[in-house]
Amino acid sequence: MSQARVHTLKGNPITLLGPELKPGDKAPDATVRKSLTEDVRLSAYAGKIRLISSVPSLDTGVCDAQTRRFNEEAANLGDDVVVLTISADLPMAQARWCGAAGVDRVVVLSDYKDMDFGNKYGVHIEELRLDMRAVFVIDKDDVIRYVQVLGEMTEHPDYDAAIAAVKSLL
């Protein structure tokens, strides 16, 4: 059953909707957008190790840094790994940002339409209709092996721990 959980944005409470996923849980399938008119299911990446980086908006400093960092890391992880960044930004804004930032190793997907990812992964911020900063590592068998949902939206995730979780599955 879904339950609301309170986290913060600059110390002010925000509510996350959806389940609190933990390592060992089966990774939910969710529908996100590749473009304004093209849906993709997360199950399309089944059979690969997935690092899912959830960010509120690519147009903010921490989200920008987080996505750039995972883009750099993706170059060293090999073909068995896919790095997905999911935000509620419109797909056109994501494409513009990726072009300007030179981000080309991360698959950037949008949750703007239905917040399906946010609701199924427990990162939908009720007050803002954005996805909370979080990192999920999912193995080839669709089992979640690492979860970090930030308590404070403006903080960086533990990049080293997330990459170590991915490498432990290689």
Side-chain angles (χ1 to χ4, degrees):
M1 183 69 168
S2 294
Q3 60 183 6
R5 295 173 326 280
V6 177
H7 290 250
T8 59
L9 168 58
K10 296 182 180 176
N12 298 306
I14 53 175
T15 307
L16 300 188
L17 302 177
E20 186 173 0
L21 298 176
K22 295 179 174 44
D25 289 345
K26 180 163 177 50
D29 197 8
T31 301
V32 288
R33 290 266 163 144
K34 283 180 103 164
S35 70
L36 196 58
T37 58
E38 184 182 1
D39 287 342
V40 64
R41 296 191 65 78
L42 294 181
S43 56
Y45 302 97
K48 290 189 175 275
I49 298 164
R50 285 146 285 167
L51 185 152
I52 299 176
S53 172
S54 171
V55 299
S57 175
L58 294 170
D59 284 318
T60 63
V62 178
C63 300
D64 177 298
Q66 180 174 334
T67 305
R68 288 175 190 261
R69 170 73 184 268
F70 284 132
N71 187 65
E72 291 170 12
E73 296 285 356
N76 303 315
L77 296 175
D79 293 338
D80 286 339
V81 178
V82 63
V83 178
L84 308 172
T85 291
I86 300 176
S87 75
D89 294 309
L90 289 173
M92 299 82 67
Q94 291 177 330
R96 175 198 46 77
W97 181 89
C98 287
V103 168
D104 58 356
R105 294 181 185 101
V106 169
V107 178
V108 179
L109 301 167
S110 177
D111 202 22
Y112 88 93
K113 187 175 179 206
D114 300 315
M115 298 301 291
D116 192 45
F117 167 79
N119 289 324
K120 289 181 177 173
Y121 279 75
V123 296
H124 177 179
I125 303 169
E126 182 177 35
E127 296 84 353
L128 304 174
R129 199 177 184 281
L130 296 172
D131 290 327
M132 182 64 170
R133 185 173 323 287
V135 180
F136 300 89
V137 175
I138 302 165
D139 70 17
K140 291 180 180 184
D141 297 317
D142 296 324
V143 176
I144 297 171
R145 295 299 177 190
Y146 175 87
V147 176
Q148 183 187 20
V149 178
L150 279 288
E152 165 58 46
M153 184 200 291
T154 61
E155 294 176 356
H156 286 268
D158 187 338
Y159 300 108
D160 293 336
I163 295 304
V166 170
K167 288 181 176 178
S168 76
L169 299 172
L170 292 173

